[in-house]
Amino acid sequence: AGRWSHTGSGRCEVCPAGTWSGAGAERCVVCPAGTKALDHDGPCELCPAGTYSADMAKECTPCELGRFSDDGAEACEVCLAGRYSGRGSPLEGKQSRECKPCVPGTWSSAGQPV
């Protein structure tokens, strides 16, 4: 598992990063956007909330401050005006699947981390 070969080949090749295969594979399977390949011989795993990935990712990328995502995201979405995600919030340093409303006496424009 995690290797593939062409018909008539004398050896198996290791699947490239961001792909995987099962036993007896003739080709490697590309992990689609919103997933990551943990290793070459297991299926792709969804990126957790607060992260995203493009095709063939080995790792999920955390959303920037002022953005959020749900599980399996291809990109992060911008927080709307009056909402935040990031510095000084209960979400700081954590993956965020949503933006929180600004507390009374504070404000935020769209996409701002606070």
Side-chain angles (χ1 to χ4, degrees):
R3 295 176 178 265
W4 65 281
S5 71
H6 294 287
T7 303
S9 177
R11 65 186 176 121
C12 294
E13 303 291 332
V14 174
C15 290
T19 67
W20 71 281
S21 73
E26 294 179 13
R27 63 183 176 82
C28 299
V29 178
V30 171
C31 289
T35 67
K36 64 180 177 177
L38 293 177
D39 52 44
H40 300 289
D41 61 357
C44 306
E45 180 178 283
L46 280 179
C47 289
T51 67
Y52 69 97
S53 75
D55 288 340
M56 294 183 69
K58 293 188 301 182
E59 297 180 14
C60 300
T61 304
C63 293
E64 297 175 5
L65 297 176
R67 295 177 177 265
F68 72 101
S69 73
D70 207 351
D71 295 330
E74 297 177 23
C76 296
E77 298 180 47
V78 174
C79 292
L80 298 175
R83 301 182 76 80
Y84 69 98
S85 172
R87 260 192 310 268
S89 79
L91 305 172
E92 186 171 7
K94 299 177 184 174
Q95 278 81 18
S96 176
R97 85 172 53 243
E98 63 185 47
C99 297
K100 300 293 184 190
C102 292
V103 297
T106 67
W107 69 278
S108 177
S109 59
Q112 294 301 309
V114 171

